[in-house]
Amino acid sequence: MHIKAYAKLNLTLDILGRREDGYHDLQMVMQSVDLCDELTVTPASGEGRMSTTLSYLPCDGRNLAQQAARAFRERTGSELRVDIHIQKRIPVCAGLGGGSSDAAAVLRAMNELTGAALTPRELAEIGGAVGSDVPYCVLGGTVLAQGRGERLTPLPALPPCHVVVCKPSFSVSTPQLFTAADRVRLHLRPDTPGMLQALEERDLAGAARRLYNVFADVLPPQRGKEIQDITGSLLGCGALGACMSGTGPSVFGLFDDPAAARSAYTQLAGAYQDTFLCHTVSEPCAE
Ligand code: C5P
């Protein structure tokens, strides 16, 4: 089975509080884009093997795709073993949910291959045990994710637009960034109700104006400056709004004008190898 695993963007990301289990209660408006990994999932005769086009990625139980296959078997009682090959295009450790999206794609593939006929909600629940972003990646599209990331409310789709994604070369530790956020008082927060209203009104410019991620303010200063510079370049090229995704370091800009998006892409791709020109996806689960 061939299946696409789309990258996700955080249109908003807010931390509401720290929980007793060490996780955080979040409020995030998420969006899929057509920057994607491609998976081939095949019933295996033996234990099931895994490979990817990136030699440095672990292909054992540390890989979220393998964990998803195991979680599916445990939950459904299926004994299906699968060979998984992933053609990676989504940069790794980038705030774009690449590993989570691969895991979600494996859940959807195994659901088809076994005929288990679980609903997307049931698959999302299995995904929650694999990682906080996996439930969203099972559903995809434009969604409000709350709690640890498992409380999902589908939203009116973000109006179609051009998206430029740019990942600087430094990497960010997700747990460390959560710890950094715990230590400060977050003064600036996303206007989540305003974002929901803009989506309701199919107002792309209104949604783009409300892009906001609290993690951008708790990065180490030098890193924060680089994120601001990329954000400034996107806006300078005519983006309607720009913001960091997840715990970074990827930054994205939303464009209604294809020529402006192309020019932002060309400018940033000259300085950053991991720069992509892509588009929003409204219903990835349907494909
Ligand atoms: O669930 P996942 O493995 O993707 O989370 C990675 C890390 O991100 C967790 O170990 C935790 O430190 C942090 N996290 C959090 N609250 C969330 C999601 C993730 O604190 N809602």
Side-chain angles (χ1 to χ4, degrees), residues 22-24 26 130-133 147-149 174-175 178:
Y23 283 86
H24 294 74
L26 304 177
V130 178
S132 301
D133 280 342
R148 214 190 98 195
T174 296
F178 271 104

Side-chain angles (χ1 to χ4, degrees), residues 60-81:
D60 52 23
R62 286 170 294 172
N63 193 298
L64 296 186
Q66 288 276 29
Q67 292 176 27
R70 192 180 327 117
F72 184 88
R73 281 193 296 271
E74 282 170 9
R75 165 69 186 270
T76 59
S78 160
E79 297 194 348
L80 177 71
R81 302 276 164 171

Side-chain angles (χ1 to χ4, degrees), residues 1 40-46 48-49 80-84 109 113-114:
M1 228 189 122
T40 308
V41 183
T42 320
S45 39
R49 282 170 307 185
L80 177 71
R81 302 276 164 171
V82 284
D83 291 331
I84 302 168
L113 291 170
T114 58

Side-chain angles (χ1 to χ4, degrees), residues 185-196:
R185 202 182 155 84
L186 298 168
H187 292 293
L188 293 174
R189 315 289 287 271
D191 173 13
T192 308
M195 174 62 82
L196 299 184

Side-chain angles (χ1 to χ4, degrees), residues 103-188:
V106 167
L107 292 174
R108 282 158 47 201
M110 291 186 75
N111 196 35
E112 287 282 321
L113 291 170
T114 58
L118 299 184
T119 64
R121 292 273 174 189
E122 288 168 329
L123 289 178
E125 196 198 320
I126 301 176
V130 178
S132 301
D133 280 342
V134 181
Y136 162 72
C137 290
V138 171
L139 254 58
T142 311
V143 170
L144 175 67
Q146 300 183 94
R148 214 190 98 195
E150 80 291 3
R151 274 174 39 219
L152 303 172
T153 311
L155 298 170
L158 180 72
C161 61
H162 308 272
V163 184
V164 175
V165 179
C166 174
K167 179 194 163 291
S169 57
F170 66 88
S171 61
V172 183
S173 153
T174 296
Q176 275 177 24
L177 212 54
F178 271 104
T179 305
D182 287 339
R183 292 208 183 106
V184 296
R185 202 182 155 84
L186 298 168
H187 292 293
L188 293 174

